[in-house]
Amino acid sequence: AQSVTQPDARVTVSEGASLQLRCKYSYSGTPYLFWYVQYQRQGLQLLLKYYSGDPVVQGVNGFEAEFSKSDSSFHLRKASVHWSDSAVYFCAASMMGSSGSWQLIFGSGTQLTVMP
Amino acid sequence: GPKVLQIPSHQIIDMGQMVTLNCDPVSNHLYFYWYKQILGQQMEFLVNFYNGKVMEKSKLFKDQFSVERPDGSYFTLKIQPTALEDSAVYFCASSQGLGYAEQFFGPGTRLTVL
């Protein structure tokens, strides 16, 4: 079955530390991959996306993600986090279903808390 | 950047009543979506809509749900009648294409069914 898994429900890091948020997908092909961030009581904002080519993609606010076909993963990274990065991060994959229609499937999200 | 608007931001209604959630998508977008997020849980796809028709819907899109976009105005989600389990935040999204295209999300409407 097609799915997106974010194994870490909560991550806490200190300000200035590096960050990795994990994401794995299950799909027979190569999906289109996205990372969204949701600040409290707001809608989702796109951080970055992967379609093809260079497996490392750069996003906004110093975020980057690396696609791995062999590992079926799309982990999000940041070299040095800021307190304002505290939010919920969603990995999503656009995959074609059995009906031939594309669907954006979300992971369960990772709540990131950055400690001062 | 492009913005999706949702009206109202919060709606409280009694079980059994009808509710309409409104979405003003990005102006040149062709595909429209509704998602449901129960507090603390993941975003779940409800339905997508193109050229006046539902393209695909999930198991969460019950018979009591309907969507429309009359004459290019708001893209609406109507629930009639509502049930307690419909309490959630409903997000509207729009995109220029399918598959590869980024979906732009609204801020959500928090629906509380009493």
Side-chain angles (χ1 to χ4, degrees):
Chain A
Q2 298 170 351
S3 65
V4 176
T5 302
Q6 293 180 249
D8 306 307
R10 294 180 182 275
V11 169
T12 300
V13 296
S14 298
E15 193 166 26
S18 63
L19 170 72
Q20 176 171 280
L21 302 182
R22 297 182 292 165
C23 172
K24 297 198 76 169
Y25 65 88
S26 174
Y27 181 54
S28 57
T30 299
Y32 300 109
L33 295 159
F34 306 83
W35 274 99
Y36 285 90
V37 60
Q38 185 179 33
Y39 298 103
Q40 198 164 17
R41 299 183 194 275
Q42 295 185 30
L44 276 68
Q45 298 172 32
L46 184 71
L47 281 178
L48 47 76
K49 56 195 175 190
Y50 173 78
Y51 297 156
S52 64
D54 188 340
V56 178
V57 291
Q58 304 296 321
V60 298
N61 297 335
F63 285 95
E64 67 173 30
E66 182 166 6
F67 167 67
S68 170
K69 189 177 175 69
S70 61
D71 195 39
S72 298
S73 67
F74 189 56
H75 303 325
L76 181 71
R77 301 190 297 241
K78 187 170 184 179
S80 176
V81 296
H82 187 264
W83 65 266
S84 59
D85 293 325
S86 295
V88 181
Y89 291 78
F90 289 97
C91 180
S94 184
M95 300 185 268
M96 184 177 282
S98 54
S99 65
S101 180
W102 290 91
Q103 204 171 109
L104 189 63
I105 297 175
F106 284 86
S108 52
T110 297
Q111 171 77 58
L112 173 67
T113 302
V114 179
M115 306 293 288
Chain B
K3 288 207 183 291
V4 175
L5 305 177
Q6 289 187 244
I7 302 163
S9 58
H10 196 169
Q11 179 94 45
I12 302 173
I13 59 169
D14 291 324
M15 183 176 64
Q17 284 190 311
M18 181 194 77
V19 67
T20 300
L21 309 183
N22 299 293
C23 171
D24 187 11
V26 177
S27 60
N28 62 344
H29 285 182
L30 302 174
Y31 298 86
F32 313 112
Y33 313 80
W34 284 103
Y35 292 85
K36 178 181 180 181
Q37 186 183 38
I38 294 174
L39 189 64
Q41 298 184 27
Q42 72 194 91
M43 195 84 68
E44 294 195 272
F45 169 80
L46 285 176
V47 65
N48 63 7
F49 188 85
Y50 169 75
N51 199 25
K53 298 175 194 168
V54 170
M55 291 181 60
E56 182 145 358
K57 55 188 179 181
S58 72
K59 288 180 287 189
L60 296 179
F61 194 79
K62 305 181 296 184
D63 291 343
Q64 298 90 326
F65 288 28
S66 63
V67 291
E68 63 175 356
R69 192 183 187 214
D71 301 324
S73 60
Y74 287 146
F75 174 51
T76 62
L77 173 66
K78 184 185 294 185
I79 309 174
Q80 181 178 24
T82 50
L84 294 176
E85 60 265 26
D86 296 331
S87 294
V89 180
Y90 290 83
F91 289 95
C92 173
S94 68
S95 68
Q96 285 184 317
L98 281 178
Y100 66 93
E102 173 190 350
Q103 293 184 22
F104 290 81
F105 285 80
T109 293
R110 182 175 298 276
L111 176 64
T112 302
V113 181
L114 303 176

